[in-house]
């Protein structure tokens, strides 16, 4: 449990030691550590293997740009592959293991690939696996698939919860470094609604990693004070552990908040991560900058990392990868690293500076005009070979090497809407420019302002500008404002295997090969070499590759251009993208108003669209669903049954032109429908195909209530809105979906009127004379509760549909059951509903399948010739009105014991059974307890002319052959006497 590389100081809590395991071995860290900083403190540099050559790798960085230190976190169902050790917040009991190696990290058999690197150069797979073609499926593809990927999956369902949410703000600030904090304070003091998001668990950005001063005190004190002030503001929301992954249209940003990733297991009921959709009026990007490495021979050994990352480990986490460290730099930033390490007691082997006029130091040796040309060390750095200015060579003993080639502003989010960065000669780097996402501005190091003072100043100024705050800029704290210059130095010439993209094993040689073979466009370079295609999107490798390609092409870097950055900014789990939409919550589930009552009654539920509906209500002793359904049908037809039909689409149509509007969208007439009456309507698509059927009840001259099928509720509403807005914009008509606003119940059966008379207030007469079939009215029930009553029937029985505001739906169901006891009232579900509608011959979703016409449904006469309506003209096309057209009929087996199945086809009584002799097909089938036999609805050629004909029903798939009789689709009460009783 000793930590040989742990230093003094840092921002860790030494009073809270944490135990963790890596590759089965136990270690100890502290609260505030990352997994990478804790491993380095425990003298563990080797953390992974590269993708192609399986070379030993340790962390290159200290942040989300990390390409090397990818590990599998946790175990069992919570196992997570390809997690950056540099961003994993240490917690007690953490379990991690290395990946992409076998049998162990120290001895990886696949490292043999490195021996054959000359044969596995860029593009080798394009050339190698083309011939012979016969070996592709048998040999090449299995090998490639086995080698592909880095981590592994547990193959168990993820037990954690992921969620989604929405947030709104006047100003979204991305990044909580000096620029972001300065901007947030300025905006927060103005009263604006502000969101400050940062991917780190500790806000402060680079200030956490430096030994800078602000207001003549440690910069961390200013950070602490700033966060405390912001936390006290009700108009400011701080979001640490939150990565803004993408800039999308209309000022919308995607952000992933890691709510519980720093815990062993999430708290009960808490999500692991949340995907936020943030709507921002203005956005300020303060994402900082990423240090760029220098490529040289064997520059990928564990222990070689970015110089700024070394400062982070030493200053923030009091952790060092070694006790003797060298620095290779082309700018002053490398010297800052050496000074900070020296102050912490780390031995500086030397600072190797490519500049002949590099500043000297009395604390450590500076080798001017020198270059690191090679390294040694099998599983970790031991020596660095240096070529001095005079051409001689020198070996530096060191366990770590900090490399600094300058800094690149993090422009990624500025490019998510096809914006292109522009080249800055002073910084030798790309900076945001051109077309930014609408409403976005940039400040701080992300804009190339690398000094602390300039970052603070630009953050405050851009916040004022974004919010339109006039007046003098706020007083800024005093901070260092040293000029920052960067001397570009991309790679050491003459090296054979200098690594650019360390995750994908792309070298300088690969870029040169790409140029040699004609792949010189940056997009071709990217795909030919896989440069920048790793999980870090080339954050540490792209600039080096572009610089080398520019040199080879004899062009300036901006002439070569850049590739496009795409969301997400960092790898994002599929779980958080899906949120709660998996398993039973794959799509939203709507519960009917009577759901909990039905659950108490032991109902069996079924998904119907997005609704969960009662399918049947089993009673004690019933062992098969058919027993329950048959009982419900018989009881309803004998006395009274109640069914929750809230799921039917309900659309309020209001306005002086409401009737004319419905006359337009329905093929039958509605203009002259009287107030207090309901009419069945058929809606056609523009091509004349039946879209939906339903009813329209006229409650007033300017008010209709339209019902639709459950499945088509959204589609019909969308269609009607299109007609209103685009086809009939001059009509005075307004639409609103009220499906969820009203609880609606079908009360059907001979005693349905008697039951309703017990709850309908006595002011309303619902007798047959006063309230005949197809009547409708606004009424009150149960002593004044507003309600709607419709006398319509889907069952073929005397029936009503009664609607009350949804919040009273449960109470109404219980009231109906209580008052109906004397009539043996029976609740019935969707199965009984389906049986009764088939017995009555009503079309439903199976018949309205997107291919049928009014003629097919036996409703040809409903298409009015006296008026124009959507689809009416095209419904008259010859192809939809052939003499041999399919028409809806009923079928029943000649032998009552035989079965009928939906999807089976109708054939002539004798002759061939094949597609050429197909006469039609069954759309719906059920057992009819009323007729005591199976029945079905079918589409049959010239069906209306063939009633009484005997045919064969065949299903080759299920080996079914049944003799059936063609009958009217109206099996029960064909004259409609019951509905009018």
């Amino acid at each position: 449990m000793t930590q040989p590389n742990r230093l003094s100081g840092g921002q860790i809590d030494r009073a809270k030691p944490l135990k963790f395991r890596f590759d089965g071995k136990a270690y100890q860290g502290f609260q505030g550590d990352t997994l990478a900083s804790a491993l380095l403190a425990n003298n563990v540099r080797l953390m992974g293997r590269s993708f192609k050559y399986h070379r030993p790798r340790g962390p290159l960085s200290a942040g989300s740009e990390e390409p090397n230190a990818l590990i599998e976190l946790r175990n069992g169902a919570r196992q997570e592959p390809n997690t950056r050790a540099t961003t994993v917040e240490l917690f007690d009991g953490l379990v991690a293991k290395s990946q992409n190696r076998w049998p162990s990290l120290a001895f990886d058999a696949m490292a043999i690939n490195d021996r054959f690197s000359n044969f596995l150069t860029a593009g080798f797979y394009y050339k190698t696996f083309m011939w012979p073609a016969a070996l592709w499926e048998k040999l090449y593809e299995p090998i490639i698939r086995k080698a592909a990927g880095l981590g592994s999956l547990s193959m168990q369902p993820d037990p954690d919860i992921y969620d989604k949410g929405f947030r709104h703000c006047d100003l979204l600030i991305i990044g909580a470094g000096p620029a972001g904090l300065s901007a947030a304070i300025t905006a927060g003091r103005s009263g604006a609604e502000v969101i400050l998001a940062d991917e780190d668990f500790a806000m402060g950005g680079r200030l956490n990693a430096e030994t800078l001063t602000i207001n003549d005190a440690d910069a961390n004190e200013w950070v602490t004070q700033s966060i405390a002030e912001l936390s006290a503001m009700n108009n400011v929301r701080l979001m640490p552990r939150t990565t803004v992954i993408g800039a999308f249209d209309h000022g919308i940003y995607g952000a992933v908040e890691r709510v519980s990733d720093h815990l062993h297991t999430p708290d009960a009921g808490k999500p692991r991560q949340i995907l936020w959709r943030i709507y921002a009026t203005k956005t300020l990007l303060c994402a900082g900058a990423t240090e760029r490495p220098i490529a040289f021979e064997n520059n990928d050994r564990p222990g070689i990392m970015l110089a700024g990352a070394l400062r982070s480990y030493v200053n923030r986490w009091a952790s060092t990868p070694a006790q003797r460290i060298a620095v290779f730099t082309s700018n002053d930033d490398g010297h800052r690293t050496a000074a900070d390490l020296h102050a912490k007691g780390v031995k500086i082997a030397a600072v190797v500076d490519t500049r002949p006029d590099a500043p000297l130091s009395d604390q450590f040796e500076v080798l001017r005009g020198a270059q690191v040309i090679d390294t040694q060390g099998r599983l970790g750095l031991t020596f660095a070979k240096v070529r001095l200015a005079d051409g001689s060579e020198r070996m530096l003993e060191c366990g770590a090497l900090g490399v600094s080639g300058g800094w690149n502003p993090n422009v990624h989010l500025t490019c998510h809407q096809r914006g292109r960065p522009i080249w800055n000669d002073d910084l030798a780097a790309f900076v945001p420019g051109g077309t930014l996402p609408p409403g976005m501005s940039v400040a701080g190091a992300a804009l190339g302002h690398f000094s602390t003072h300039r970052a603070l100043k630009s953050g405050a100024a851009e916040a004022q500008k974004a919010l339109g705050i006039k007046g003098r800029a706020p007083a800024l704290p005093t901070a260092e404002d040293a000029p920052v210059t960067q001397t570009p130095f991309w790679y050491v010439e003459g090296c054979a295997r200098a690594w650019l993209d360390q995750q994908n094993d792309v070298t300088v040689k690969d870029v040169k090969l790409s140029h040699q073979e004609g792949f010189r466009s940056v997009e071709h370079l990217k795909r030919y070499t896989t440069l920048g295609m790793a999980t870090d999107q080339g954050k540490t490798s792209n600039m080096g590759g572009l610089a080398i390609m520019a040199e080879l092409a004899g062009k300036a870097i901006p002439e070569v251009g850049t590739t496009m950055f795409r969301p997400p900014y960092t790898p994002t789990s599929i779980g958080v993208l899906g949120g709660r939409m998996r398993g039973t919550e794959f799509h939203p589930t709507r519960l009917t108003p009577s759901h909990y009552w039905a659950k108490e009654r032991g109902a069996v539920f079924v998904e119907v669209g997005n609704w969960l509906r009662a399918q049947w209500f089993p009673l004690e002793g019933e062992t098969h669903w058919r027993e329950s359904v048959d009982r419900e049908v018989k009881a309803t037809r004998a006395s009274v049954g109640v069914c929750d039909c809230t799921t039917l689409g309900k659309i309020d149509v209001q306005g002086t032109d409401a009737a004319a509007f419905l006359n337009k969208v329905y093929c039958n007439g509605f203009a002259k429908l009287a107030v207090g009456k309901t009419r069945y309507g058929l809606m056609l698509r523009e091509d004349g195909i039946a879209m939906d059927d339903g009813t329209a009840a006229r409650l007033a001259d300017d008010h209709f209530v339209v019902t639709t099928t459950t499945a088509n509720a959204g589609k019909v509403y969308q269609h009607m809105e299109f007609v209103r807005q685009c086809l009939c914009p001059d009509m005075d008509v307004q639409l609103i979906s009220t499906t969820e606003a009203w609880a609606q119940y079908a009360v059907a059966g001979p005693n349905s009127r008697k039951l309703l008379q017990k709850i309908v207030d006595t002011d309303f007469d619902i007798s047959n004379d006063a309230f005949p079939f197809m009547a409708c009215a606004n009424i009150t029930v149960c002593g004044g509760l507003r309600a709607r009553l419709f006398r319509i029937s889907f069952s073929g029985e005397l029936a009503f549909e009664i609607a009350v505001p949804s919040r009273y739906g449960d109470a109404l169901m219980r009231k109906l059951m209580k008052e109906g006891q004397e009539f043996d009232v029976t609740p019935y579900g969707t199965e009984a509903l389906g049986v009764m509608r088939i017995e009555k011959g009503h079309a439903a979703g199976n018949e309205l399948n997107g291919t049928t016409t009014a003629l097919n449904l036996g409703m040809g006469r409903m298409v009015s010739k006296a008026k124009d309506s959507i689809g009416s003209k095209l419904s008259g096309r010859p192809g939809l009105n052939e003499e041999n057209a399919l028409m809806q009929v009923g079928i029943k087996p000649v032998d009552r014991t035989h079965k009928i199945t939906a999807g089976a086809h109708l054939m002539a009584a004798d002759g061939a059974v094949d597609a050429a002799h197909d006469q039609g097909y069954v759309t719906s089938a059920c057992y009819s307890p009323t007729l005591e036999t199976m029945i079905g609805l079918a589409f049959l050629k010239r069906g209306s002319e063939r009633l009484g004909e005997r045919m064969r029903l065949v299903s080759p798939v299920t080996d079914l052959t049944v003799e059936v009789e063609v009958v009217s689709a109206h099996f029960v009460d064909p004259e409609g006497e019951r509905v009018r009783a």
Side-chain angles (χ1 to χ4, degrees):
M1 291 297 182
T2 60
Q3 301 178 45
N5 286 345
R6 183 69 76 180
L7 306 175
S8 61
Q11 298 179 28
I12 54 176
D13 189 347
R14 298 172 192 268
K16 295 180 179 179
L18 304 173
K19 295 179 180 179
F20 68 99
R21 302 184 73 84
F22 179 68
D23 277 350
K25 187 175 180 180
Y27 298 97
Q28 179 178 285
F30 296 106
Q31 185 79 37
D33 262 323
T34 65
L35 176 58
S37 69
L39 285 172
L40 291 175
N42 284 273
N43 200 30
V44 177
R45 294 178 297 172
L46 177 62
M47 299 184 194
R49 292 276 178 166
S50 65
F51 173 59
K52 186 162 67 172
Y53 298 135
H54 287 249
R55 287 175 64 88
R57 292 283 165 78
L60 176 68
S61 72
S64 63
E65 66 271 21
E66 176 57 37
N68 290 337
L70 304 183
I71 52 90
E72 287 182 358
L73 190 63
R74 300 182 174 87
N75 50 29
R78 286 190 166 89
Q79 179 176 308
E80 180 185 0
N82 301 323
T83 306
R84 287 164 166 73
T86 53
T87 61
V88 173
E89 192 173 347
L90 197 67
F91 54 81
D92 197 52
L94 180 149
V95 175
K97 62 180 179 180
S98 56
Q99 56 186 32
N100 197 43
R101 83 290 186 277
W102 182 86
S104 69
L105 184 59
F107 178 77
D108 181 10
M110 289 299 290
I112 190 68
N113 286 0
D114 199 30
R115 303 279 182 166
F116 297 95
S117 59
N118 287 335
F119 301 98
L120 303 176
T121 55
F124 79 95
Y125 31 78
Y126 298 127
K127 306 168 186 176
T128 307
F129 301 125
M130 299 296 290
W131 180 91
L135 292 182
W136 173 252
E137 290 187 2
K138 297 178 180 178
L139 180 62
Y140 299 151
E141 184 179 11
I143 291 176
I144 292 173
R145 288 191 179 278
K146 188 173 181 61
L150 292 171
S152 61
L153 298 175
S154 69
M155 305 307 292
Q156 300 177 45
D158 189 341
D160 293 325
I161 299 171
Y162 300 86
D163 217 335
K164 296 183 180 182
F166 298 82
R167 283 186 173 160
H168 302 76
C169 61
D170 298 318
L171 180 64
L172 168 64
I173 302 172
I174 304 170
L181 289 173
S182 178
I185 291 171
T186 302
R189 289 172 179 171
S190 75
E193 293 291 328
V194 179
I195 292 177
L196 176 61
D198 194 278
E199 64 179 353
D200 203 335
F201 58 88
M203 290 186 166
R206 282 300 304 179
L207 295 179
N208 291 326
E210 307 290 355
T211 55
L212 301 172
T213 60
I214 295 180
N215 285 339
D216 299 323
D218 192 311
N220 287 320
E221 292 184 18
W222 179 82
V223 171
T224 302
Q225 293 168 3
S226 299
I227 294 173
E229 180 180 353
L230 292 169
S231 299
M233 295 181 183
N234 293 329
N235 58 313
V236 176
R237 183 185 295 274
L238 301 180
M239 297 182 67
R241 300 186 179 96
T242 301
T243 303
V244 176
I245 60 172
F248 303 98
D249 293 341
H250 313 300
I252 299 173
Y253 290 80
V256 174
E257 181 180 10
R258 298 178 298 280
V259 178
S260 306
D261 279 6
H262 61 293
L263 304 175
H264 185 275
T265 53
D267 293 336
K270 294 290 186 180
R272 179 179 173 188
Q273 297 176 357
I274 300 175
L275 176 62
W276 292 104
R277 177 183 283 192
I278 301 176
Y279 290 75
T281 305
K282 296 289 183 179
T283 305
L284 182 57
L285 180 66
C286 305
T290 298
E291 195 168 16
R292 57 198 186 206
I294 299 172
F296 53 90
E297 192 83 8
N298 293 310
N299 62 318
D300 63 331
R301 299 190 192 279
I304 302 175
M305 61 180 66
L306 298 172
L310 273 175
R311 282 209 305 280
S312 296
Y313 287 116
V314 168
N315 292 329
R316 178 175 173 181
W317 292 296
S319 175
T320 177
Q323 295 298 326
R324 182 179 177 85
I325 297 177
V327 176
F328 181 25
T329 184
S330 64
N331 58 83
D332 290 347
D333 204 70
H335 293 257
R336 179 185 289 182
T337 296
D340 283 3
L341 267 61
H342 176 78
K344 289 287 188 177
V346 177
K347 177 67 175 177
I348 304 300
V351 173
V352 182
D353 197 317
T354 60
R355 300 170 297 175
D357 57 347
L360 298 176
S361 172
D362 57 2
Q363 297 176 327
F364 42 78
E365 183 180 12
V366 177
L367 303 179
R368 288 176 164 180
Q371 300 174 11
V372 176
I373 60 174
D374 201 354
T375 63
Q376 294 179 8
R378 190 176 75 86
L379 297 178
L381 180 69
T382 55
F383 286 93
K385 180 187 287 188
V386 179
R387 183 169 58 222
L388 302 177
D390 61 4
S392 62
E393 296 180 355
R394 176 178 167 184
M395 298 296 290
L396 293 178
E397 183 181 2
C398 53
L401 174 66
V403 180
S404 179
W407 293 78
N408 292 323
N410 289 328
V411 301
H412 305 73
L413 288 172
T414 69
C415 302
H416 281 184
Q417 294 185 32
R418 302 198 66 78
R420 295 277 185 176
I422 59 176
W423 182 255
N424 184 305
D425 280 321
D426 294 335
L427 298 176
F430 284 101
V431 297
T435 304
L436 299 179
M440 176 185 281
S441 53
V442 189
L447 193 59
H449 298 323
F450 290 153
S451 76
T452 308
H453 173 75
R454 292 187 68 193
L456 293 168
K457 182 178 179 180
S458 66
E462 290 297 334
Q464 282 188 303
K465 183 178 177 181
L467 296 172
I469 302 173
K470 297 181 180 180
R472 297 180 60 184
L476 296 173
T478 58
E480 63 86 21
D481 193 21
V484 176
T485 58
Q486 297 192 149
T487 304
F489 189 84
W490 309 106
Y491 73 106
V492 174
E493 293 186 4
C495 54
R497 302 185 75 196
W499 307 92
L500 296 170
D501 189 318
Q502 295 199 15
Q503 188 176 129
N504 278 354
D505 284 328
V506 181
T507 65
V508 172
K509 179 181 176 182
D510 292 327
V511 176
K512 293 181 177 179
L513 180 63
S514 176
H515 180 272
Q516 178 182 328
E517 299 195 354
F519 296 95
R520 300 174 183 180
S521 158
V522 290
E523 297 292 353
H524 290 163
L525 168 66
K526 175 179 178 179
R527 285 154 181 81
Y528 187 72
T529 65
T530 69
L531 177 76
M533 292 179 65
T535 58
D536 63 335
Q537 286 199 46
K539 290 181 175 68
T540 59
S541 60
N542 275 357
M543 277 302 303
L546 296 177
I548 295 167
M549 181 59 78
E551 179 184 295
L552 294 170
K555 299 179 180 179
I557 292 176
E559 292 181 79
V560 174
T562 62
T563 55
M564 296 298 294
F565 295 107
R566 303 177 180 88
Y569 174 70
T570 54
T572 303
S573 68
I574 295 296
V576 77
L577 294 178
R580 293 180 180 267
M581 297 168 62
R582 61 177 185 169
T584 57
E585 295 181 340
F586 181 72
H587 54 70
T589 300
R590 296 177 176 178
L591 304 181
T592 61
S594 65
H595 176 82
Y596 293 104
W597 172 87
K599 192 173 182 180
E600 292 169 12
R601 291 288 293 256
V604 175
F605 293 97
V606 63
E607 290 185 8
V608 180
N610 285 339
W611 293 91
L612 201 61
R613 298 188 67 180
Q615 200 170 11
W616 61 82
F617 295 83
L619 295 182
E620 187 176 353
E622 293 176 345
T623 60
H624 191 274
W625 68 270
R626 267 276 311 282
E627 295 179 71
S628 304
V629 173
D630 291 354
R631 172 184 50 78
E632 291 169 10
V633 172
K634 290 178 179 179
T636 300
R637 295 209 183 279
S639 181
V640 60
V642 179
C643 179
D644 191 330
C645 57
T646 302
T647 62
L648 293 175
K650 307 176 200 68
I651 303 169
D652 258 32
V653 182
Q654 299 188 31
T656 55
D657 293 323
F661 176 77
L662 292 180
N663 225 31
K664 187 77 171 176
V665 296
Y666 283 110
C667 65
N668 51 317
F670 280 86
K672 298 180 181 179
L673 182 65
V675 174
K677 293 294 182 181
T678 304
R679 180 165 292 167
Y680 178 83
L682 182 64
M683 190 177 294
L684 303 181
R685 299 190 319 219
E686 292 182 343
D687 59 1
I689 299 296
M691 178 181 184
D692 195 67
D693 68 339
T695 61
R698 193 167 196 171
L699 298 177
D701 286 333
D702 58 355
H703 184 191
F704 288 78
V705 174
V706 169
T707 64
T708 74
T709 59
T710 296
N712 287 334
K715 187 186 300 182
V716 170
Y717 181 70
Q718 184 181 33
H719 170 69
M720 291 174 69
E721 270 292 353
F722 171 77
V723 175
R724 184 186 73 83
Q725 295 183 38
C726 301
L727 304 184
C728 305
D730 297 329
M731 282 190 175
D732 175 25
V733 62
Q734 297 298 323
L735 310 175
I736 185 169
S737 173
T738 60
T739 301
E740 295 86 0
W742 291 88
Q744 194 153 315
Y745 297 98
V747 184
N751 288 321
S752 56
R753 181 184 290 113
K754 294 179 182 178
L755 172 55
L756 286 175
Q757 284 173 332
K758 298 183 69 174
I759 67 166
V760 173
D761 291 342
T762 55
D763 295 343
F764 302 95
D765 184 358
I766 61 171
S767 65
N768 194 40
D769 292 334
F771 202 76
F773 181 57
M774 301 302 281
C776 64
N778 285 312
I779 63 169
T780 61
V781 298
C782 302
L785 174 63
R786 66 190 180 102
R788 292 171 175 173
L789 187 64
F790 312 90
R791 187 173 168 189
I792 51 182
S793 177
F794 199 57
S795 61
E797 298 293 334
L798 168 65
F800 300 81
E801 288 187 11
I802 184 168
V804 295
S806 289
R807 61 184 177 275
Y808 300 108
D810 181 81
L812 179 62
M813 186 62 167
R814 296 177 190 274
K815 182 69 172 177
L816 288 169
M817 290 296 104
K818 180 180 179 181
E819 297 296 338
Q821 287 179 5
E822 65 174 288
F823 309 116
D824 295 325
V825 64
T826 299
Y828 64 92
T830 57
E831 285 295 325
L833 178 70
V835 169
M836 288 188 283
R837 75 93 181 170
I838 295 173
E839 290 180 338
K840 188 59 181 175
H842 284 307
N846 289 11
E847 290 72 44
L848 298 167
N849 57 23
T851 66
T852 52
T853 66
L855 177 65
N856 300 148
L857 296 167
M859 303 176 187
R861 286 183 294 180
M862 289 183 65
V863 183
S864 175
K865 306 298 182 184
K867 70 177 183 74
D868 183 31
S869 62
I870 294 173
S872 61
K873 290 292 189 290
L874 288 183
S875 71
R877 286 178 290 167
L880 300 184
N881 294 272
E882 298 175 337
E883 291 183 3
N884 230 18
L886 294 170
M887 300 189 72
Q888 184 172 298
V889 296
I891 61 168
K892 61 181 182 180
V894 174
D895 185 336
R896 286 175 173 268
T897 63
H898 285 172
K899 187 178 180 181
I900 290 177
T901 60
H905 286 255
L906 290 163
M907 300 287 176
D910 50 36
V913 176
D914 53 35
H917 293 82
D918 187 11
Q919 298 291 297
Y921 60 95
V922 178
T923 56
S924 301
C926 72
Y927 176 80
S928 167
T930 307
L931 303 179
E932 297 183 343
T933 184
M934 289 206 73
I935 58 173
L937 298 180
F939 286 127
L940 177 64
K941 293 179 180 178
R942 297 181 294 105
S944 61
E945 305 171 14
R946 304 174 71 171
L947 301 184
E949 183 177 338
R950 291 195 174 186
M951 305 187 72
R952 281 179 298 169
L953 185 67
V954 300
S955 174
V957 175
T958 58
D959 196 26
L960 174 75
T961 301
V962 176
E963 184 181 12
V964 296
E965 180 183 357
V966 180
V967 297
S968 168
H970 309 296
F971 295 94
V972 173
D973 191 27
E975 302 301 324
E977 295 178 359
R978 298 186 186 181
V979 298
R980 293 176 171 82

